[in-house]
Amino acid sequence: MSDAEVKKLEEEVMSALYGQKLGKNDFRSKSCDVFVVIDAKSWIYKGVVLKPTVKMMGVEANEIALEFKENSSLDSNLFTPINPSSIKIKELRF
């Protein structure tokens, strides 16, 4: 996506979720955009959430990226695609 497309998507998502952009803040030496939606706050760098936090109904959850490497690649052998025809769905009624 181009920078303009990312910005437009960001605005649409924030509007739909009644969120707001608080500004910029450094995290792990990256200049992140900080967003808040309801009780969740996220530090986002180039579309990647590096630090999400949420405190809701007395429960607090925090995550942090321990390492972030830009322009890196992964070996395609690390992932095995799932064959959709092999998935069995059962409907349960209560």
Side-chain angles (χ1 to χ4, degrees):
M1 295 176 84
S2 70
D3 288 342
E5 290 170 325
V6 169
K7 180 144 181 70
K8 184 173 188 253
L9 178 61
E10 169 190 302
E11 291 169 356
E12 290 171 356
V13 169
M14 286 297 108
S15 176
L17 298 174
Y18 302 101
Q20 62 179 341
K21 184 175 180 178
L22 299 180
K24 293 220 175 248
N25 197 302
D26 284 350
F27 179 75
R28 299 273 187 234
S29 302
K30 305 290 183 199
S31 179
C32 298
D33 293 318
V34 182
F35 294 93
V36 65
V37 176
I38 308 173
D39 294 324
K41 193 173 183 181
S42 297
W43 285 252
I44 302 172
Y45 177 73
K46 294 186 177 181
V48 178
V49 181
L50 298 181
K51 180 182 172 186
T53 65
V54 64
K55 188 173 186 179
M56 189 178 294
M57 296 173 41
V59 177
E60 189 172 338
N62 299 298
E63 294 180 29
I64 59 169
L66 298 177
E67 185 177 2
F68 180 78
K69 293 181 183 178
E70 288 188 75
N71 304 316
S72 60
S73 61
L74 294 173
D75 184 359
S76 63
N77 293 328
L78 291 173
F79 301 97
T80 305
I82 296 174
N83 181 351
S85 64
S86 69
I87 299 172
K88 294 183 171 75
I89 299 174
K90 264 188 182 174
E91 185 176 329
L92 300 175
R93 295 181 187 254
F94 295 94

